[in-house]
Amino acid sequence: MGTNSQSTTIMGTQDDVPAPAQLNEDTAVCIVSVKGLKENWQKWSDERQEYQKHNPFSHDTRPSAVVPLKEHDDYGRPLQGSMTEQRGKDAHTHISREVQELCEVIRNIGEPRDSDAGGSSSDGKVIAVEFGKLFEHYVTISNKLVGILLRARKQRLVNFEGEMLWQGKDDHVVITLLQ
């Protein structure tokens, strides 16, 4: 019964809380924790409600919700300094490293060939490798070769024929390193 009366006292009003001399160590920690939890929850709740007022996709249909305009530079971008923005920057850095690593692998296993009209080399030679050979070598490095190749082509670092490369079917497609 003694435990129940203490818990009733803790849940009561501030006036009902006994003096610190009457509390044991566990009870005092419990009061601070519950009060801290309540304050933290209220703070989070207030911040979330304020955020939802400005979120155009929430069900909160207050006229204060600002709808982003497509003409603005930040349209479709995460808020400056947000965790989402940081994750995007980290992902971009990671993918850029993988593209550079792919170019290095092509330099190492590729063969010099005469450049077609699109080559960037001044002596008319470019480094090229067949997709099948690159796939066999690169499979030990990463399982995302085709996606990285597409990204590298978008950045104009490599060139190859076709929209997509398929293992087996496109093994003889030549991939040319442009830079």
Side-chain angles (χ1 to χ4, degrees):
M1 281 254 182
T3 308
N4 288 343
S5 65
Q6 281 183 347
S7 64
T8 305
T9 304
I10 292 172
M11 300 306 262
T13 64
Q14 286 284 18
D15 298 334
D16 295 340
V17 176
Q22 296 175 345
L23 295 175
N24 62 24
E25 191 174 309
D26 294 333
T27 309
V29 169
C30 190
I31 290 173
V32 172
S33 296
V34 170
K35 183 177 180 183
L37 285 173
K38 180 184 173 191
E39 289 173 356
N40 286 340
W41 178 259
Q42 190 60 47
K43 179 182 173 190
W44 178 86
S45 176
D46 293 342
E47 288 172 356
R48 190 71 185 163
Q49 286 176 353
E50 188 62 32
Y51 172 77
Q52 287 297 88
K53 287 179 187 176
H54 302 288
N55 182 355
F57 304 107
S58 75
H59 297 290
D60 190 3
T61 57
R62 294 185 184 161
S64 65
V66 178
V67 178
L69 301 175
K70 290 183 180 180
E71 297 84 36
H72 291 162
D73 292 337
D74 61 344
Y75 181 79
R77 304 239 181 228
L79 294 175
Q80 293 267 336
S82 67
M83 295 284 290
T84 304
E85 180 188 38
Q86 186 59 44
R87 285 190 294 270
K89 287 178 180 179
D90 293 345
H92 180 74
T93 303
H94 178 74
I95 295 297
S96 295
R97 257 186 272 129
E98 287 199 19
V99 168
Q100 292 302 321
E101 184 178 358
L102 172 68
C103 292
E104 190 61 36
V105 169
I106 293 173
R107 271 189 208 93
N108 291 338
I109 67 171
E111 302 165 354
R113 296 188 182 183
D114 289 332
S115 172
D116 293 337
S120 63
S121 179
S122 60
D123 61 357
K125 298 276 186 185
V126 293
I127 297 176
V129 64
E130 288 186 346
F131 176 67
K133 182 178 178 183
L134 179 62
F135 187 88
E136 290 301 320
H137 184 78
Y138 204 79
V139 75
T140 60
I141 299 171
S142 175
N143 61 351
K144 304 177 283 269
L145 174 62
V146 176
I148 297 170
L149 275 171
L150 292 172
R151 175 61 70 111
R153 180 168 67 177
K154 187 176 181 180
Q155 294 175 3
R156 297 188 177 131
L157 298 174
V158 300
N159 192 21
F160 55 88
E161 292 293 323
E163 288 289 318
M164 180 66 74
L165 296 174
W166 302 97
Q167 182 188 11
K169 177 183 160 212
D170 295 322
D171 282 351
H172 298 292
V173 172
V174 175
I175 298 169
T176 307
L177 185 64
L178 298 178
Q179 294 183 0

